[in-house]
Amino acid sequence: MEKETDKGSNKEILHQLITFAVKHKRIMQNYLDETGVYQFQHRLLMEIFRNPHVSQKDIARTMDVSAATVAVSLKKLEKGGYIKRETDEGDNRLNKIAITEKGNNIVEKSRKIFESANRKVFEGFTGEEKSALLVLIKKLNANLARMEDEIRARKGKD
């Protein structure tokens, strides 16, 4: 087992990662406030943009949220003119979601915000540093995925 120094301790590394994530989320929300769309609504718009005519059920599954949460936000987006719902011809119970021109404008504005923010976040990083960071973060995420699997397995046994 490795001996940890204060600077490279697991606790300090995790603290820095969490601090980064919190700051990034707060800063991005501040930038995205300029679009006039709330954070979850924004995520929905981006998902609909990536998957035109996606169903409400598929959105909930992909985003790992309840159908009710999606329904409430979609209703607000529809009322704001960002999306429109079309009944599925094969199944009247399904609504296909389509993004409107107003919604597309928000997505485009958001893309520019993300591109600018990403450039600023990685200012001063070399390509090698970014590659190394990516490898390390993938390792962390793989460890977290294993932990999630263990939790699911344990809950399944209870």
Side-chain angles (χ1 to χ4, degrees), residues 55-143:
S55 73
Q56 191 169 315
K57 186 177 180 180
D58 288 339
I59 291 172
R61 186 175 34 251
T62 301
M63 295 181 75
D64 197 26
V65 294
S66 72
T69 299
V70 171
V72 168
S73 292
L74 287 177
K75 188 176 272 189
K76 290 177 183 175
L77 287 171
E78 186 175 30
K79 188 175 180 181
Y82 300 104
I83 62 160
K84 59 184 176 183
R85 297 186 218 212
E86 301 163 350
T87 305
D88 186 287
E89 293 171 12
D91 186 346
N92 288 338
R93 296 170 298 170
L94 287 179
N95 282 320
K96 297 289 183 181
I97 315 299
I99 198 163
T100 64
E101 186 176 337
K102 185 176 180 181
N104 276 324
N105 290 339
I106 294 298
V107 168
E108 186 55 35
K109 189 174 184 180
S110 298
R111 278 188 152 158
K112 289 178 181 172
I113 289 169
F114 284 121
E115 287 170 11
S116 173
N118 286 345
R119 274 193 309 277
K120 290 177 184 178
V121 166
F122 289 102
E123 209 168 82
F125 279 69
T126 66
E128 291 168 350
E129 288 171 329
K130 288 192 283 186
S131 293
L133 182 59
L134 180 59
V135 167
L136 297 172
I137 290 173
K138 284 181 175 183
K139 282 184 175 181
L140 289 172
N141 279 322
N143 290 342

Side-chain angles (χ1 to χ4, degrees), residues 1 7 14 27 29 35 41 43 47 57 73 91 98 125 137-138 142 153:
M1 222 189 303
K7 245 185 174 176
L14 289 172
I27 289 166
Q29 185 56 54
T35 66
Q41 293 171 336
R43 284 184 56 212
E47 183 62 31
K57 186 177 180 180
S73 292
D91 186 346
F125 279 69
I137 290 173
K138 284 181 175 183

